[in-house]
């Protein structure tokens, strides 16, 4: 993936996440229902939304880091072993900082 297409893919992913996080934020700011049963369901749903929100923020940070690597010329190189990250892996996870071998070591 060349720099221009990687930039486009990463920015599109980030824009989509920002849009989804905005919708999650709107849902989380909604007033709680008066009915206790409905309120309990809403509280449970809010817990899931908060987890999704945290994951979204983490993913945006990873995308921003990948954009930084694009700008400094290190995109596509593993930050741990400095070997090239496979094209298939970058296609699947364009913001990954690790080659497949180093990623396996974190499991």
């Amino acid at each position: 993936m060349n720099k221009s297409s990687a930039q486009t893919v990463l920015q599109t992913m980030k824009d989509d996440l920002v849009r989804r996080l905005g919708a999650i934020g709107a849902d989380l700011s909604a007033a709680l229902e008066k009915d206790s049963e409905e309120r309990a369901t809403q509280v449970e749903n809010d817990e899931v939304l908060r987890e999704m929100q945290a994951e979204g923020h983490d993913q945006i940070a990873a995308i921003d880091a990948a954009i930084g690597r694009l700008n400094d010329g290190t995109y596509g190189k593993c930050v741990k072993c400095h070997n090239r990250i496979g094209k298939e892996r970058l296609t699947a996870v364009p913001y990954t900082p690790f080659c497949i071998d180093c990623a396996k070591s974190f499991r």
Side-chain angles (χ1 to χ4, degrees):
M1 183 178 322
N2 67 38
K3 182 178 179 176
S4 176
S5 62
Q7 180 81 33
T8 300
V9 167
L10 291 166
Q11 191 61 53
T12 300
M13 291 176 82
K14 182 178 177 178
D15 292 345
D16 183 52
L17 279 166
V18 167
R19 196 169 27 261
R20 284 193 272 159
L21 287 173
I24 288 172
D27 285 348
L28 287 172
S29 66
L32 290 174
E33 297 290 330
K34 293 181 182 188
D35 178 270
S36 62
E37 206 170 294
E38 289 291 323
R39 181 182 292 241
T41 301
Q42 189 175 4
V43 168
E44 287 177 18
N45 289 342
D46 285 355
E47 288 176 25
V48 172
L49 289 174
R50 281 189 191 84
E51 289 176 27
M52 291 172 64
Q53 189 178 45
E55 289 174 13
H57 286 295
D58 289 347
Q59 195 170 7
I60 286 173
I63 291 168
D64 285 341
I67 291 170
R69 291 190 301 278
L70 265 173
N71 292 333
D72 71 16
T74 61
Y75 181 80
K77 291 183 182 177
C78 179
V79 298
K80 186 173 180 189
C81 72
H82 306 289
N83 289 328
R84 300 286 305 151
I85 299 172
K87 182 180 178 181
E88 301 82 20
R89 180 156 173 77
L90 282 174
T91 299
V93 188
Y95 51 86
T96 186
F98 303 111
C99 68
I100 192 72
D101 292 332
C102 290
K104 287 178 184 177
S105 71
F106 290 107
R107 290 185 187 174

